Amino acid sequence: MTSLSRGGGDPPQKRESKAATGVRPSNANIKGSVPDTRVDVNDLSYAIIATQSSSENSDVVHRGIGAAFVGRLARDLEMDQSTLAAHMGIARSTFSRKLKNDEALSRGDGAIALGVARLIGEVDRILRESGDPEQMGESFDVAEWTGQWLKQPVGALGNRRPLDYLDNAFGQETVLQLIRQMQSGAFA
């Protein structure tokens, strides 16, 4: 099951490559620079990303989000990473190059990736608030469920798939509003 919380226990281990961390490398070796104290985006749960302020999420984007983060999203959503990247508006060749070279996404693409993570976190929040605790057992995977839902045509979207709305902030906000309306029963 995908981890949806930071939980307690030992602090996260430092990872070796920026592909693994999903963020740009530290600037600590640059003369006169301030040591890098950024949070590894892969250490943040989707629930935390969904509940952080816009300012906090903006800070995460400004620190840099590696192309590997799209790989995490794709695995958790059970989608092909190239397909997800394309639906996020990232050109296949650009995504492949950045992934291969362990490069950060552009700020715009990083914001879109963080927005997809926010959607997963919002579904998690709603299901935990409104769902049947027995159905939300250990085997229930919110990200996997969200991935399946994103692929299905939705009447409230004119029978378009939520997946088709992931490539910009307005589309993602439309999907977030739909998710919140589903919680209240406004759309079936």
Side-chain angles (χ1 to χ4, degrees), residues 86-147:
H87 279 283
M88 291 170 47
I90 304 171
R92 183 178 300 247
S93 60
T94 300
F95 174 69
S96 295
R97 184 187 80 250
K98 288 183 181 269
L99 190 61
K100 178 182 174 189
N101 296 329
D102 298 330
E103 295 176 5
L105 298 169
S106 69
R107 282 188 180 165
D109 291 343
I112 295 298
L114 203 62
V116 173
R118 184 175 162 224
L119 290 171
I120 298 167
E122 187 67 9
V123 170
D124 179 57
R125 181 194 66 77
I126 288 170
L127 289 175
R128 294 200 186 284
E129 287 178 5
S130 307
D132 180 350
E134 290 182 19
Q135 289 181 345
M136 293 287 298
E138 286 297 315
S139 64
F140 184 78
D141 188 324
V142 173
E144 179 184 343
W145 182 91
T146 303

